[in-house]
Amino acid sequence: MDVGLLFDLRNPAQWHRPWADHYARSLEYCEEADRRGAGGVWFTEHHLFDDGYLPQPLTFAAAAAARTRRVRIGTSVLLPNLHHPARIAEDSAVVDLISGGRLELGVGAGYRVPEYELYGADFDRRIGQVGDNVREIRRLWDEGGVTPGPLQSPVPLWGGFYGPRGARLAGRLGIGLLHINHEMYGHYREGLAEGGHDPESARVSDLLPIILADDPEAAWPRVAPHVAHQMNSYMQGSVEGTDLPRPPLLSADQFPQRPNEDGSFSLLEILTPEAAAARIVERTKGLPVRHLIFWASVAGMPDDLVVRNIELISERLPVLLAEHLGTEPAGVRTGG
């Protein structure tokens, strides 16, 4: 397994910096992750968020690809139902070519009605449409329906699904499951068999709600307001365009820093690398994990915490994971 960092480019009003500076700084973080030995940089997609959540991940991925040399370049996730499949096939191929064959294309269905309305897409059929779009993107690549095609053949594809239906769909499509969950893994393997794929080809990855710090207790009160902003925006966005009532806004003190009793991850935890490695190994036991993805930053959190988080994830965590697993660290290099 390797470790990577997710960028959503949120820039909330209360911590706002000029947009051009914010994008430039985020690309510098990608370069730093690459230099320090991270396994990947990943970008995600949403639309119409007040804090400017990244709307076009493949555009930013192309910029990151040109500024890096080794990290995998991933989407976690792209929303294919909001784009024409030919456009995704072309844009993805360009990113793969710019990167020298480092693209990992993760897709998902999304959950916000306003985004589907913005693009004139059918919200009610979103899970099935993701499968149709993945098949069409593959067909375009395989049959030369777009030119030039990607460098990789095939491009690694991932399904970011969190329920049984989506897990089985990822299996039937023969793509990776972008979710680490033992119960869903069973549905995923069943889907692989249903689709005529070898269940032993199963592979999983996921975004883990973890930030690393040398002193989590000191870091938590500085990060908690950013966690509150992020969770509030997700919850409010989930009911926009529906008849559901808006959930109440939560404050920073309603997000205590403590693990769940069952050992699962909370909404977000700040851990030392040592604590994170032990938790991750325990939670992923028996699963064919390919990529572990972590937040680079949460909703504009302080730069010094972002920089240290990137350093610890890129350099320290892979060594600790390898020690637990008795393997060689994945792609670790020291800065210098």
Side-chain angles (χ1 to χ4, degrees):
M1 64 180 76
D2 66 27
V3 300
L5 293 140
L6 181 78
F7 296 82
D8 61 12
L9 279 291
R10 286 169 174 257
N11 190 15
Q14 57 270 49
W15 305 290
H16 183 81
R17 69 178 70 196
W19 276 109
D21 294 346
H22 182 55
Y23 270 54
R25 182 64 168 149
S26 297
L27 285 170
E28 289 173 358
Y29 287 147
C30 292
E31 289 182 287
E32 184 73 359
D34 185 56
R35 185 176 72 83
R36 291 186 176 274
V41 290
W42 299 74
F43 310 100
T44 183
E45 174 181 359
H46 273 303
H47 304 268
L48 303 175
F49 272 72
D50 291 340
D51 59 16
Y53 200 119
L54 179 63
Q56 298 295 335
L58 286 173
T59 302
F60 200 87
R67 298 271 290 265
T68 58
R69 293 292 176 267
R70 195 194 62 82
V71 287
R72 302 296 292 176
I73 306 291
T75 59
S76 178
V77 292
L78 177 80
L79 305 178
N81 297 346
L82 307 186
H83 308 277
H84 195 286
R87 179 62 182 268
I88 297 174
E90 290 180 333
D91 287 353
S92 299
V94 169
V95 173
D96 199 49
L97 291 168
I98 291 172
S99 68
R102 290 183 279 136
L103 179 65
E104 304 270 340
L105 187 64
V107 301
Y111 70 98
R112 297 186 67 222
V113 171
E115 296 178 323
Y116 274 73
E117 292 177 343
L118 177 66
Y119 280 88
D122 186 352
F123 184 80
D124 293 332
R125 295 188 57 249
R126 59 192 184 279
I127 298 294
Q129 286 180 332
V130 170
D132 293 341
N133 284 318
V134 167
R135 294 182 187 97
E136 177 62 7
I137 292 165
R138 275 179 160 171
R139 186 193 68 80
L140 290 166
W141 285 339
D142 293 343
E143 299 179 5
V146 295
T147 57
L151 182 61
Q152 296 179 96
S153 182
V155 172
L157 291 169
W158 297 89
F161 306 117
Y162 289 88
R165 181 184 175 193
R168 293 177 78 96
L169 174 61
R172 289 195 300 272
L173 292 169
I175 65 179
L177 179 62
L178 201 54
H179 185 36
I180 293 175
N181 179 286
H182 285 80
E183 181 182 355
M184 293 305 108
Y185 180 65
H187 293 289
Y188 170 53
R189 283 179 61 95
E190 290 172 4
L192 285 167
E194 292 169 3
H197 308 288
D198 183 358
E200 296 306 310
S201 68
R203 64 193 194 278
V204 299
S205 299
D206 206 354
L207 170 63
L208 302 182
I210 294 173
I211 294 289
L212 296 188
D214 298 299
D215 186 346
E217 187 174 347
W220 180 252
R222 300 179 64 200
V223 176
H226 303 267
V227 178
H229 169 87
Q230 180 154 306
M231 292 302 105
N232 281 327
S233 65
Y234 277 134
M235 290 188 295
Q236 296 291 320
S238 68
V239 301
E240 289 178 353
T242 74
D243 296 329
L244 297 172
R246 284 181 173 267
L249 294 177
L250 303 175
S251 60
D253 59 8
Q254 291 174 285
F255 294 95
Q257 162 76 345
R258 61 173 179 264
N260 294 329
E261 292 182 1
D262 65 357
S264 62
F265 295 113
S266 300
L267 292 175
L268 186 125
E269 295 180 45
I270 304 180
L271 301 172
T272 63
E274 291 76 14
R279 291 282 306 283
I280 290 166
V281 169
E282 182 62 28
R283 289 280 294 158
T284 61
K285 191 175 297 182
L287 297 176
V289 178
R290 190 70 55 84
H291 305 291
L292 298 171
I293 309 168
F294 301 82
W295 292 104
S297 174
V298 175
M301 72 186 210
D303 282 351
D304 63 307
L305 295 179
V306 176
V307 170
R308 189 55 176 155
N309 180 47
I310 291 173
E311 291 173 351
L312 292 173
I313 288 171
S314 300
E315 295 182 343
R316 182 62 180 149
L317 184 60
V319 174
L320 293 168
L321 289 171
E323 289 175 357
H324 277 280
L325 297 170
T327 62
E328 290 295 320
V332 176
R333 293 181 296 173
T334 57

